[in-house]
Amino acid sequence: DGISFSLQRGETLAIVGESGSGKTTLGKSTLKLLSPTEGRIIFDGMDLGTLDNQGVKGFRKRAQGIFQDPYSSLDSFMTIYQILEEPLVVHGVRDKSERTKIIYKVLEDVKMYPPDESANKYPHTLSGGLKQRVGIARALTLTPEYILADEPVSMVDASNRAEILYLLSDIQKQYGVSFLYVTHDIATAKHFSNRIAVMYAGRIV
């Protein structure tokens, strides 16, 4: 309701608020997974509301999401390799050896060693923390400029939370990516973000 903010390249903005305050709705709108009833979302000069199907596909390559529940956001019938390969196939990386190279690199970036062994596993054989690393790796396959991280550590064991946030910080330095970090945990927001916006009842307060 009347929200306005900007996010710079390579910056992390945390959106903090209680359940039901509108954080996830806002986040999904920035990925064009939801369309706002009013207002505009401008990404690098493009109005997301005016994009046709081809334009949306181009935008998807530049903007990705890491979602809250790693148990439901990964297809249990696909290997890690197939999960990471899918966005590359969709976006026209035709050379199989090139796809394999990218997949092994992102697995190394999220510290899943050795990548060839990790790639052949199925999600049900992994812990919640490792599943979320796969989710992060999938977001990185297309080297996006913007990532929505929607409560990425809320369903991960406490022992793994700091590790995953440090990993996201390392990825930000390496890729120069911008993050919108959605959370209800103000302590992690303090450590992981450059700025914090607090939401309450659909507004930034």
Side-chain angles (χ1 to χ4, degrees):
D1 181 4
I3 281 177
S4 179
F5 67 88
S6 59
L7 179 65
Q8 306 305 316
R9 288 182 188 274
E11 181 189 31
T12 298
L13 172 64
I15 303 288
V16 180
E18 63 187 18
S19 296
S21 61
K23 305 184 302 294
T24 294
T25 300
L26 172 63
K28 286 184 173 177
S29 298
T30 67
L31 287 182
K32 204 170 164 53
L33 296 174
L34 295 172
S35 295
T37 49
E38 285 180 39
R40 297 189 307 157
I41 299 170
I42 309 295
F43 179 85
D44 195 22
M46 294 185 301
D47 184 341
L48 298 190
T50 65
L51 297 180
D52 58 14
N53 288 344
Q54 202 57 39
V56 170
K57 189 175 178 183
F59 169 67
R60 291 267 180 269
K61 196 169 181 184
R62 302 174 66 188
Q64 288 288 312
I66 301 163
F67 299 101
Q68 180 176 4
D69 184 0
Y71 295 87
S72 65
S73 64
L74 303 177
D75 189 326
S76 56
F77 293 98
M78 295 167 82
T79 64
I80 304 311
Y81 186 95
Q82 290 169 327
I83 288 167
L84 299 180
E85 184 182 39
E86 190 174 35
L88 297 170
V89 171
V90 167
H91 286 274
V93 181
R94 291 191 174 86
D95 187 291
K96 177 83 172 172
S97 62
E98 178 67 13
R99 294 200 301 266
T100 300
K101 189 173 151 190
I102 292 168
I103 288 164
Y104 286 178
K105 182 185 184 307
V106 294
L107 284 172
E108 285 180 358
D109 287 344
V110 298
K111 298 179 172 44
M112 290 184 72
Y113 306 114
D116 53 336
E117 277 183 31
S118 298
N120 287 320
K121 292 180 177 175
Y122 283 87
H124 73 268
T125 66
L126 305 177
S127 67
L130 285 175
K131 280 189 176 84
Q132 195 59 292
R133 285 172 192 258
V134 174
I136 295 166
R138 178 175 56 187
L140 293 175
T141 54
L142 299 169
T143 57
E145 297 154 57
Y146 165 64
I147 293 177
L148 163 68
D150 185 4
E151 306 235 20
V153 293
S154 67
M155 294 187 71
V156 173
D157 290 346
S159 57
N160 288 316
R161 283 177 193 169
E163 249 179 70
I164 285 180
L165 289 173
Y166 283 127
L167 178 64
L168 291 176
S169 290
D170 289 344
I171 283 163
Q172 184 167 47
K173 292 185 189 102
Q174 186 181 340
Y175 284 82
V177 70
S178 304
F179 278 102
L180 190 68
Y181 175 49
V182 170
T183 184
H184 59 265
D185 184 350
I186 205 156
T188 62
K190 181 186 173 189
H191 287 290
F192 181 54
S193 58
N194 304 105
R195 292 184 294 137
I196 297 174
V198 178
M199 278 189 76
Y200 179 74
R203 291 175 176 268
I204 288 178
V205 293

